[in-house]
Amino acid sequence: MKLSVNDFILKASAEALRRVPAVNASWEGSLIRYYSAAHVSFAVAMPDGLITPVIREAHVKTVFQISAEAKTLGKKAKDKKLTPAEFTGGTFCVSNLGMMGITKFNAIINPPNSAILGVGTTVTKPVVKNGAIVIGQTMTLTLSCDHRVVDGALGAQYMSALKAILENPALLLV
C-alpha cells in the first residue's frame, strides 16, 4: 500500500490529540465539551464547495487503516455518495492545500471543532542540520483555534507534539 504525506499527517494529528487531549474539544454555548476519541476529519474540495469526511477513532487506527479509509471516503466524497454519518461528528479537522502547491495558509475552523490544521506543500530549501547548512524539506503547518476552547499556549502545546511526531514518522508505522 502506498502511503501519502496526508496519511501521516492525519495519523500524527490524532496522536497529537491523544497527547494534548484538551484540544480535542468543542464550545457548546456556555461550556467546553471534551472528547475521548479523536474523530479526525479532512477537507475534500468539490466543484460546488467543501466537505469533511470523518475518520472515526483515528487515534487507535494504524496509518495503513487511516490511508485506506481516507481513500475510500475521499472517493465517496468526490462521487457525492457520502452519508451524513460519514461527514458529521468530527472533533478536529485537517485541511491540506499542499497538493495544490500552496506553501502556507490559515484554515477556517469547521464548527463544532475547536481547531483546524492547515497544511502547506513541502519545499526544498537550505536548512541547518547538526550545525551545517544542507538541503532539506520543510512544510508549514498552521493551527486555527477557537480561543474559547484552545488558547495560544494550548495550541502551541499541540503543535509542539505534532512537530515531534512528524519529525519521527517511522514511529507512526509501529
Side-chain angles (χ1 to χ4, degrees):
M1 171 181 269
K2 184 177 179 182
L3 297 172
S4 71
V5 170
N6 206 54
D7 298 330
F8 282 94
I9 291 168
L10 291 169
K11 176 60 180 170
S13 295
E15 176 60 21
L17 289 172
R18 191 187 63 73
R19 293 183 187 184
V20 188
V23 174
N24 197 29
S26 63
W27 179 253
E28 292 191 356
S30 61
L31 58 94
I32 298 172
R33 178 176 179 194
Y34 295 97
Y35 301 100
S36 58
H39 302 311
V40 179
S41 61
F42 60 100
V44 176
M46 300 179 32
D48 56 346
L50 188 78
I51 195 160
T52 54
V54 179
I55 298 174
R56 300 200 184 287
E57 307 274 336
H59 62 293
V60 296
K61 292 182 177 172
T62 68
V63 71
F64 297 101
Q65 291 170 316
I66 288 171
S67 178
E69 197 168 329
K71 285 174 180 56
T72 298
L73 290 169
K75 181 174 180 354
K76 285 180 82 173
K78 297 266 186 201
D79 295 340
K80 297 186 177 187
K81 294 186 177 180
L82 285 176
T83 65
E86 292 172 316
F87 64 85
T88 58
T91 62
F92 183 86
C93 190
V94 173
S95 180
N96 187 343
L97 294 181
M99 67 279 292
M100 296 177 184
I102 305 301
T103 55
K104 60 183 170 185
F105 69 103
N106 295 317
I108 298 170
I109 300 167
N110 185 27
N113 299 174
S114 63
I116 184 169
L117 182 70
V119 181
T121 192
T122 55
V123 177
T124 302
K125 66 181 192 179
V127 297
V128 177
K129 186 171 185 176
N130 299 325
I133 297 175
V134 297
I135 300 300
Q137 296 282 325
T138 64
M139 178 173 55
T140 299
L141 303 173
T142 57
L143 187 69
S144 301
C145 304
D146 179 342
H147 276 238
R148 296 171 297 183
V149 181
V150 179
D151 64 16
L154 183 56
Q157 288 175 11
Y158 176 84
M159 292 299 282
S160 179
L162 182 64
K163 179 180 180 284
I165 295 162
L166 288 172
E167 287 179 343
N168 295 290
L171 296 177
L172 295 173
L173 296 172
V174 179

